[in-house]
Amino acid sequence: MKKRISYVCILTTALVFSLMEIVLKLASNQVTGLNGIQISFWRFVIAVACFLPFMMRQIKRQKISFTGKDWRNFILLGFVFVVCCMSMYQISCKLEPAAIAAIIFSCNPVFVLLFSKLILHKRLTGIEKGTLFFALIGMVLVVSPHELLSQLNNWQGILISISGSALFGLYTVLSKRYLNENPGANGFIISGMSFLCGLVELWIVIGLTHISVISNFFKAIPSLQMFSNVPMIRNLTPANIGVLLFIGIVITAVGYGCYFYAVENAGSFPASSSFFIKSILAPILATIILHEQMKLTVIIGIILVIIGLALPFVFKKKEA
């Protein structure tokens, strides 16, 4: 039963995450006037509020008490995901077309494989090596390096996108390790507690961006200007609060709740199949909604990424 629910969660995650770059790009442009880091802060405030009742019920039912080691894990996970990964992701959505940002982020299963080998000491199979090969070549074609050589801002955007994807892979593997070591915990607990700790850390970071030296430093770097004097309340209106609620409840709470249910019950790599589906849906939706155009090399790159991410599932099905 849990396996079947996991597959429903994977499909839900794929659909919700396919809208992520598009909604975040719309939310941070002139339509709402919101700062990207401000969006990240409020989306996690809303997500934590959604997770809290489920998390508290699970903690009470399992009679879980957190140790110092647990809190260190939550603080690390919060910093990796909320502060670093999502900040980089927000910047990449602003600097890059939504389709490109989506494809690069969808490559995070590649980093899940790499970090699984490094942290969980999982041995890579031949199929998983094939996944790495196709996905990495596809990523190179998607970012079109020959066109970026003379465009520093584009290079910054691509590097930030890849870094964000790698950090999400790291976050997934570290979360899976915590779930393995703590059978009483589940997706709501790991998501809720890491989001809560990350939210506090992001609040501290936002406070630091108002120090003149730090503010001026980020203001001088075009790709990182959203880290300068990050507002908390300014520009919030009834119109864009609706957008924030959608991002916080649907994209973040529902998306990551389903994702970590799948990680817990199906494993980190099967759960990451949601990004295989996302890599197909997101570019199509970006073309329809944002009217983005894709070059032939990008389309070929997307096809190679899809082939790479599909390999483990195709061959696993044949073996079964």
Side-chain angles (χ1 to χ4, degrees), residues 27-36 38-39 42 228-244:
S28 61
N29 68 9
Q30 66 272 17
V31 175
T32 63
L34 294 172
N35 177 286
Q38 181 185 24
I39 293 171
W42 285 109
S228 176
N229 288 313
V230 178
M232 293 281 287
I233 306 296
R234 193 175 70 243
N235 298 329
L236 287 178
T237 65
N240 57 38
I241 284 175
V243 176
L244 283 176

Side-chain angles (χ1 to χ4, degrees), residues 21-149:
E21 292 82 7
I22 297 169
V23 176
L24 290 178
K25 198 170 187 69
L26 289 172
S28 61
N29 68 9
Q30 66 272 17
V31 175
T32 63
L34 294 172
N35 177 286
I37 308 304
Q38 181 185 24
I39 293 171
S40 284
F41 178 80
W42 285 109
R43 69 182 283 206
F44 284 106
V45 168
I46 296 166
V48 167
C50 292
F51 279 132
L52 202 58
F54 301 99
M55 186 175 66
M56 295 306 295
R57 185 176 66 179
Q58 181 70 14
I59 290 172
K60 187 176 180 179
R61 181 187 297 171
Q62 299 287 340
K63 297 180 179 178
I64 297 172
S65 59
F66 297 126
T67 64
K69 183 180 179 181
D70 291 324
W71 283 108
R72 286 193 295 272
N73 274 302
F74 295 144
I75 290 168
L76 173 62
L77 288 169
F79 182 76
V80 168
F81 182 63
V82 178
V83 178
C84 298
C85 174
M86 285 295 101
S87 293
M88 290 181 178
Y89 184 60
Q90 192 68 54
I91 294 169
S92 71
C93 287
K94 184 176 179 63
L95 296 178
E96 302 299 324
I100 301 298
I103 289 298
I104 293 176
F105 195 75
S106 295
C107 287
N108 74 78
V110 172
F111 296 106
V112 169
L113 289 174
L114 292 174
F115 286 121
S116 291
K117 180 175 177 58
L118 292 172
I119 296 172
L120 303 179
H121 307 294
K122 180 184 176 184
R123 192 169 184 175
L124 295 181
T125 65
I127 299 302
E128 289 171 340
K129 290 176 182 177
T131 293
L132 291 174
F133 175 77
F134 280 105
L136 289 174
I137 291 179
M139 194 190 302
V140 169
L141 289 174
V142 165
V143 302
S144 303
H146 63 284
E147 294 183 9
L148 299 174
L149 287 172

